[in-house]
Amino acid sequence: MARILMVSSEARPFSKTGGLADVLGSLPPALAEQGEEVAVVLPRYRGTSLSGARKVAENITLWIGPGRYAASLWLVHLRGVDFYLVDCPVFFDREGLYAVAGKDYWDNDTRFAALCHAALAVARHFFRPHIIHCHDWQTGLLPAYLHQYYATDPTFHGVKTVFTIHNLGYQGLFDRGRMFWLGLSDTLFRPDLVEFHGSINLLKAGLVYSDQLTTVSPTYAREIQTPEQGFGLDGLLRARSARLTGILNGIDYSVWNSETDPHLAAPFSHTALEGKRACKLDLLRTMGLPTDDPETPVIGIVSRFASQKGFDLIAQVAYDLVHWDLKMAVLGNGDPQYESLFRTLAELRPDKFAVRVAFDDALAHKIEAGSDMFLMPSHYEPCGLNQMYSLRYGAVPIVHATGGLDDTIDGGTGFKFWSYSGEAMLGALREALTVYALDRERWNGMVRLGMQKDFSWSKSAAAYSRLYAELLA
């Protein structure tokens, strides 16, 4: 079996802003269960706990261009995986992971260049890998550094690189003048290498210099090769299509399980749905919605508030929904215009709309379990996890047929719309509400079928193991 060193800017339970952390918290242990030997390198941020960690190195020197920085390494062994935490306070001891008050840190390029150099130090001194698996733009410089600095280094002879695109919309763009400060030769600033419309593109560096590319669903792997969803990199991705594979993310059923979830008012399963009613009443009470008519359908949303997530469509039709027979429980934060929209709806019709502008993991579980339906109208969605959570919790998904949403939802488990428009979304909502109201036998059949779907990480890890074996062969 292979020795895999993963590099990421976040991983649950150490740090999290989104789905990347969930993947890095679950995929490495699943790979370890497949027999792979896995280690992960990630920053130690201000909020990262060192409980159970031991220091394995201090005063490691990281040379980034002309700059010299000191870092320490902490090691935590968790679920069969070694997690190396890079403790470099000048870069990572900050209020936010990537930004503060909505503004990206100006030196995010050098911050994550430091992570890449630290990962190479781990590979040299602590964990000799067969494969270095990089995730998203924050690690895109690592394959470029291997090419530029270590091509003849026997330590890295035969080491392969894999680069996973979690969201092509975020590429890590920086001014050309940063080449020197990142320690990159000007010879790399070419349209076929790291240059992108006059800027440095860190994600593009990963795409160009890695041996294998993956993304997080088969449909998204096809979509990003089109001008519509390629964000300017579709030509490069088509050129490398023979080295591009889509592997669907999984979910962690030890965390997302309606039969064992400690956040729920009552457990339930596909063979015993009674507890879901108690969860629905608990959700209504928690969100301050009326409980006098528990048969009224509840639509749940847990999301970052952004146009990418389809909130522009919701804004188009919001005042149509005011007159429909439904309730909506919404959790998330993000774009102020969408936060304001939901607050306005909740003020206008507090009997129908409730919103919590926050990140609240326990409430997210309650919304999945207490909702009858779950709305995900994303403009594009590389994989999506909430639709898989929803299936497990008996909340029938209503989704735009894109990326991982299209791969995971079918006519037997949910409702899809193909045209990206408010009208098309309303059509899917109308169909779902009609089935819920008039054909409860079909509805319950969809709920039970969805709850039995298997999107466990073991399936995804097996696909990655096969890919690693093919790459090393």
Side-chain angles (χ1 to χ4, degrees), residues 260-315:
T260 59
D261 192 331
H263 300 298
L264 305 191
F268 60 97
S269 69
H270 72 277
T271 59
L273 289 172
E274 296 79 13
K276 187 166 176 65
R277 182 180 179 85
C279 292
K280 183 174 182 177
L281 290 170
D282 178 57
L283 173 63
L284 294 173
R285 285 191 289 267
T286 300
M287 298 296 287
L289 290 165
T291 59
D292 56 331
D293 185 9
E295 290 302 310
T296 300
V298 174
I299 299 174
I301 296 176
V302 178
S303 178
R304 178 167 49 88
F305 293 172
S307 294
Q308 183 229 314
K309 296 295 185 180
F311 283 83
D312 54 334
L313 299 190
I314 296 173

Side-chain angles (χ1 to χ4, degrees), residues 68-302:
R68 177 181 177 182
Y69 306 92
S72 301
L73 286 174
W74 295 81
L75 175 64
V76 179
H77 188 78
L78 187 65
R79 298 176 64 189
V81 177
D82 285 337
F83 288 87
Y84 289 91
L85 306 175
V86 180
D87 193 1
C88 188
V90 67
F91 287 134
F92 301 128
D93 185 14
R94 302 186 185 184
E95 182 178 341
L97 271 61
Y98 312 114
V100 65
K103 186 176 181 181
D104 289 347
Y105 293 121
W106 70 271
D107 60 345
N108 272 346
D109 53 349
T110 47
R111 295 177 73 223
F112 294 108
L115 173 65
C116 294
H117 280 294
L120 291 169
V122 170
R124 180 184 291 281
H125 299 293
F126 297 97
F127 184 91
R128 291 287 183 95
H130 299 118
I131 291 174
I132 301 177
H133 188 158
C134 302
H135 294 267
D136 262 357
W137 71 262
Q138 293 90 345
T139 63
L141 284 174
L142 191 152
Y145 286 146
L146 272 178
H147 172 84
Q148 179 170 316
Y149 293 121
Y150 301 103
T152 60
D153 188 326
T155 300
F156 297 100
H157 178 71
V159 173
K160 302 294 185 181
T161 49
V162 175
F163 186 84
T164 295
I165 306 160
H166 293 265
N167 190 331
L168 194 65
Y170 298 90
Q171 299 183 3
L173 300 179
F174 297 91
D175 185 81
R176 177 180 182 170
R178 301 293 293 169
M179 292 285 288
F180 172 73
W181 297 99
L182 293 173
L184 294 174
S185 168
D186 276 340
T187 61
L188 304 187
F189 195 78
R190 297 175 3 198
D192 59 329
L193 298 178
V194 306
E195 187 270 341
F196 186 77
H197 300 292
S199 298
I200 310 166
N201 187 322
L202 302 194
L203 184 138
K204 186 179 179 183
L207 300 184
V208 168
Y209 287 107
S210 296
D211 296 302
Q212 178 72 39
L213 309 178
T214 75
T215 191
V216 292
S217 73
T219 295
Y220 192 58
R222 296 189 295 272
E223 289 174 341
I224 59 176
Q225 296 179 58
T226 67
E228 293 77 18
Q229 294 201 38
F231 289 92
L233 294 174
D234 51 289
L236 171 59
L237 290 163
R238 287 194 299 273
R240 298 220 62 196
S241 60
R243 285 293 185 179
L244 173 61
T245 302
I247 299 176
L248 191 69
N249 280 342
I251 62 173
D252 189 341
Y253 288 123
S254 69
V255 176
W256 293 93
N257 188 330
S258 63
E259 298 179 61
T260 59
D261 192 331
H263 300 298
L264 305 191
F268 60 97
S269 69
H270 72 277
T271 59
L273 289 172
E274 296 79 13
K276 187 166 176 65
R277 182 180 179 85
C279 292
K280 183 174 182 177
L281 290 170
D282 178 57
L283 173 63
L284 294 173
R285 285 191 289 267
T286 300
M287 298 296 287
L289 290 165
T291 59
D292 56 331
D293 185 9
E295 290 302 310
T296 300
V298 174
I299 299 174
I301 296 176
V302 178

